[in-house]
Amino acid sequence: MLLDGIETLLVLAKEGTMSKAGTRLYISQSAVSKRIANLEKRLGKKLIEPAGRHIQLTATAKQLIDSVEPSYREMKGLIFEQQDIQDTSLITIACSETLVAGYLSDILGAYIQKDPHLSVFTQQTPFIIESVSSGDATIGFCAGHLPPQHGIVARHLIDEQFTIVSAAPLDSAPTMLLTNDLKNSANTYQAAILQKMGIQPMMEMDSYTAAAKLALGGVAPALIPMSVVKTLNIRAQHCHHFDFLNELTRPVHLCYRRKSYQSKRVKQLIETIADFVPTATLSP
């Protein structure tokens, strides 16, 4: 029961509401509330407070999360490593949305004919690292800078180039850009480079696809990785390169627990993706 309470608190901290936490844990909202109440009773301290439709963590809850989350994630990962991956065991891939569209979609259709026991779900890079660390995902396929001291294998594949997508021709770098979420730790490095160039983020999106479509609609130029240019088949006349973009490459990694690579099926899937990505044609 204690571990159930800890897991529920960690999920609740990320999701922000009882209902979302319940969906993530596949339990009812009332079950989430009961688990938190039992944990509060066990600790003798208040962990959450209502904040409109959301919940707010108390200082005690934040301290508890900081203390136990790394160990809890590692414990889950160690338990995951004890499971044998059989021929019919499900292999899960946590993947950045742009990488699903730009890379996996090109190879997974044929691959899944040979190995149908695969599942893909999309997450942002920081959560992909957590999913692999905890064993919630077998493989992570992520873009952007990784958090430090993640404790898993991070295999660098490429540094993906960016372009500036614009509906109108550009003779010089714009002073304002549509960007992806710069508060995401995988993307924060971009903010300093843009600031150095005197470029301000006009809007920060959760989706490069959305930013690209707004740019093509004439809202403002957008900073877009080449895999999205390929996926959306954006024409060359809408893509513009400037020298500062050479600093804005985003690293693409495959992540996995070292022991997972000992499985023949996992290794084969990792090597298939690793061989394909550097050779993929990313020009628009």
Side-chain angles (χ1 to χ4, degrees):
M1 290 180 63
L2 178 61
L3 291 179
D4 285 344
I6 293 295
E7 179 184 36
T8 303
L9 179 64
L10 295 177
V11 172
L12 186 57
K14 289 181 172 60
E15 297 296 338
T17 69
M18 295 281 189
S19 60
K20 288 183 179 180
T23 300
R24 174 92 172 267
L25 292 167
Y26 301 102
I27 60 176
S28 66
Q29 182 173 334
S30 61
V32 172
S33 180
K34 185 175 180 179
R35 285 185 180 185
I36 295 299
N38 288 338
L39 184 59
E40 288 178 330
K41 184 177 180 180
R42 177 76 174 265
L43 298 174
K45 297 178 179 179
K46 195 72 174 171
L47 296 174
I48 63 171
E49 297 171 343
R53 295 177 58 187
H54 291 71
I55 59 93
Q56 182 173 311
L57 299 176
T58 65
T60 297
K62 293 176 182 178
Q63 291 172 0
L64 179 61
I65 289 170
D66 289 342
S67 298
V68 306
E69 185 171 21
S71 299
Y72 179 79
R73 192 162 59 240
E74 179 61 17
M75 180 186 67
K76 284 188 65 178
L78 291 172
I79 293 172
F80 169 77
E81 287 185 348
Q82 299 306 310
Q83 303 172 17
D84 290 330
I85 298 179
Q86 306 294 335
D87 289 345
T88 58
S89 299
L90 186 66
I91 295 177
T92 53
I93 309 172
C95 187
S96 298
E97 182 182 4
T98 55
L99 301 186
V100 172
Y103 298 99
L104 281 189
S105 60
D106 290 335
I107 60 173
L108 209 58
Y111 194 93
I112 209 166
Q113 300 303 314
K114 299 181 296 181
D115 187 347
H117 304 289
L118 304 178
S119 179
V120 179
F121 61 95
T122 58
Q123 287 182 315
Q124 294 182 341
T125 290
F127 297 119
I128 291 174
I129 298 301
E130 290 183 10
S131 292
V132 176
S133 297
S134 64
D136 291 332
T138 315
I139 300 170
F141 188 25
C142 50
H145 285 205
L146 304 183
Q149 300 177 338
H150 46 70
I152 56 178
V153 178
R155 183 167 170 179
H156 178 259
L157 301 183
I158 60 169
D159 289 314
E160 188 177 24
Q161 298 289 325
F162 280 89
T163 190
I164 293 179
V165 171
S166 175
L170 296 176
D171 295 325
S172 59
T175 57
M176 302 190 77
L177 279 176
L178 305 176
T179 69
N180 211 16
D181 181 10
L182 298 180
K183 294 181 288 297
N184 181 330
S185 61
N187 303 326
T188 50
Y189 72 100
Q190 298 174 8
I193 297 172
L194 294 176
Q195 184 178 28
K196 183 175 69 173
M197 295 303 302
I199 300 173
Q200 295 183 349
M202 179 180 173
M203 302 179 193
E204 296 182 29
M205 315 296 294
D206 283 333
S207 165
Y208 280 117
T209 299
K213 296 296 281 185
L214 287 174
L216 293 172
V219 173
L223 183 67
I224 304 298
M226 292 303 294
S227 57
V228 175
V229 171
K230 174 194 170 187
T231 300
L232 297 180
N233 196 26
I234 299 174
R235 295 181 180 179
Q237 66 260 35
H238 296 304
C239 300
H240 306 273
H241 181 81
F242 301 98
D243 288 344
F244 79 92
L245 292 173
N246 295 329
E247 299 181 63
L248 272 172
T249 57
R250 65 174 189 164
V252 174
H253 291 90
L254 278 171
C255 303
Y256 47 92
R257 296 183 70 89
R258 194 173 302 277
K259 191 171 180 180
S260 298
Y261 192 74
Q262 297 175 11
S263 162
K264 182 179 179 180
R265 287 180 59 217
V266 174
K267 180 178 180 179
Q268 184 175 4
L269 180 55
I270 288 171
E271 294 303 328
T272 299
I273 298 171
D275 289 343
F276 175 78
V277 170
T279 62
T281 302
L282 295 180
S283 57

